[in-house]
Amino acid sequence: MPYINVRGVEHYYEWVKQPSVDLVKPVMVFIHGWAGSARYWISTANALSDQFDCLLYDLRGFGRSQGKPTVTQASESVTGANSTQEKSQAIQELTYEIEAYAEDLVVLLDELKLQRVYVNAHSMGASVATMFFNRYPQRVERGILTCSGIFEYDEKAFAAFHKFGGYVVKFRPKWLGKIPFVDRMFMARFLHRPIPKSERKAFLEDFLVADYDTALGTIFTSVSKAQAEVMPQEFAKLQVPTLLVAGEYDQIIPAKMGRQAASLNDKVEFVLIPNTAHFPMLEDAPTYLRRVREFLQVATPELQTS
């Protein structure tokens, strides 16, 4: 499997491509959400690979990517690091803040020698992408944020969420994935329409293998008072043409949160996918792909061959 060293951490990545008469296709980068992996983006990438070379990767600490590096790995990743203090600093910079994951992305692109890309990001990954768009707008052609939005800070609700989330992350026995129908129960809150069993099982497997510190740390950084204050500002600052896709019945990031975010900036186009929840790209792939292609101003395969 292909891995690449990003700030001392081995990141899994893969390409989804189709042969083309064109010498070069634009690149679309896919970013997954909390406790997931690039695996649930594969069907979408396959569908778009007629027009794009699709790059999928697992965020640090999730899927097949490592969590924090060892001191040795950090040392090797810091060019010209001549002191223990410099090497230690390299490790300390790898926090679970959303901004840190945006910095991981720019290093990944640099390592792969990619200058300007399209980005399609989901859920927590969409927050990472929003930060990336604002810090490196020259690196982004267009962006798609799937199931993203802004929320208001509620101290009691956030405290309860963090407590429950901590329990969920702690209690993840590997045998859980072997219980019949547990994948269906696990995904029930995320879905409005059924998705293939293979997709449900893959997401459960990714949840069970997610790095403990990463899974817990990103719960606290992605759902926090700081994020509630920062994300509206980030959406207001966007200069990259952006499509924000919401699922009508999403319980994780309700559609109204996406609509509120989009209302802050005329660069953001809001689209609601009816009868879907937190995975519209899997629950209603034809509608999702049609709206994405319209935004990207690329033809559907049917139109190309007619």
Side-chain angles (χ1 to χ4, degrees), residues 103-291:
E103 293 302 320
D104 287 351
L105 175 55
V106 75
V107 174
L108 175 73
L109 296 181
D110 287 345
E111 290 293 325
L112 294 173
K113 296 179 172 55
L114 299 172
Q115 292 303 313
R116 191 169 174 86
V117 298
Y118 292 76
V119 176
N120 191 349
H122 176 245
S123 197
M124 187 192 89
S127 296
V128 173
T130 303
M131 298 282 190
F132 177 74
F133 295 170
N134 281 331
R135 284 151 184 76
Y136 302 96
Q138 74 280 8
R139 306 291 294 268
V140 187
E141 191 69 38
R142 285 184 168 232
I144 303 161
L145 305 177
T146 302
C147 300
S148 184
I150 58 175
F151 50 85
E152 295 181 1
Y153 177 66
D154 183 319
E155 184 176 3
K156 290 184 178 179
F158 278 35
F161 176 81
H162 292 154
K163 183 177 181 180
F164 176 74
Y167 176 77
V168 168
V169 170
K170 187 174 183 179
F171 182 71
R172 291 179 299 158
K174 297 297 184 288
W175 50 259
L176 191 64
K178 299 179 180 179
I179 300 175
F181 307 114
V182 73
D183 57 300
R184 189 183 299 274
M185 293 184 288
F186 178 76
M187 291 298 293
R189 189 164 182 264
F190 296 94
L191 303 173
H192 183 71
R193 291 186 183 183
I195 63 173
K197 182 178 181 178
S198 59
E199 298 280 9
R200 298 196 309 266
K201 289 181 68 68
F203 193 89
L204 177 60
E205 290 168 4
D206 289 333
F207 168 72
L208 293 176
V209 302
D211 175 70
Y212 174 83
D213 290 336
T214 304
L216 188 61
T218 49
I219 283 178
F220 282 90
T221 58
S222 60
V223 182
S224 65
K225 182 179 180 181
Q227 281 298 104
E229 294 171 347
V230 166
M231 289 311 295
Q233 300 172 35
E234 294 291 335
F235 274 102
K237 290 190 298 185
L238 281 171
Q239 293 300 310
V240 172
T242 301
L243 177 69
L244 199 160
V245 182
E248 181 181 12
Y249 296 106
D250 192 345
Q251 298 181 57
I252 310 302
I253 304 177
K256 66 178 182 180
M257 294 183 177
R259 196 183 297 275
Q260 289 170 349
S263 71
L264 298 174
N265 194 319
D266 59 11
K267 288 280 188 180
V268 182
E269 176 184 341
F270 178 80
V271 166
L272 184 72
I273 307 291
N275 300 314
T276 64
H278 198 57
F279 286 87
M281 64 286 209
L282 301 178
E283 296 173 76
D284 186 359
T287 301
Y288 180 84
L289 289 166
R290 176 173 59 82
R291 300 309 297 262

Side-chain angles (χ1 to χ4, degrees), residues 55-127:
L55 173 63
L56 290 72
Y57 76 104
D58 290 350
L59 292 169
R60 171 166 41 92
F62 294 116
R64 293 144 291 189
S65 293
Q66 278 187 318
K68 280 200 171 185
T70 63
V71 174
T72 301
Q73 289 171 316
S75 303
E76 293 172 350
S77 71
V78 181
T79 304
N82 296 318
S83 70
T84 302
Q85 183 177 1
E86 287 179 73
K87 297 169 185 176
S88 177
Q89 180 66 28
I91 295 177
Q92 291 174 8
E93 288 174 355
L94 294 179
T95 69
Y96 303 120
E97 299 293 338
I98 300 300
E99 295 91 331
Y101 281 93
E103 293 302 320
D104 287 351
L105 175 55
V106 75
V107 174
L108 175 73
L109 296 181
D110 287 345
E111 290 293 325
L112 294 173
K113 296 179 172 55
L114 299 172
Q115 292 303 313
R116 191 169 174 86
V117 298
Y118 292 76
V119 176
N120 191 349
H122 176 245
S123 197
M124 187 192 89
S127 296

Side-chain angles (χ1 to χ4, degrees), residues 15-18 23-30 48-49 51-55:
W15 286 99
V16 175
K17 299 180 179 182
Q18 283 186 28
L23 292 177
V24 179
K25 288 182 183 178
V27 171
M28 179 174 288
V29 182
F30 291 79
L48 293 172
S49 61
Q51 295 281 347
F52 299 89
D53 287 339
C54 298
L55 173 63

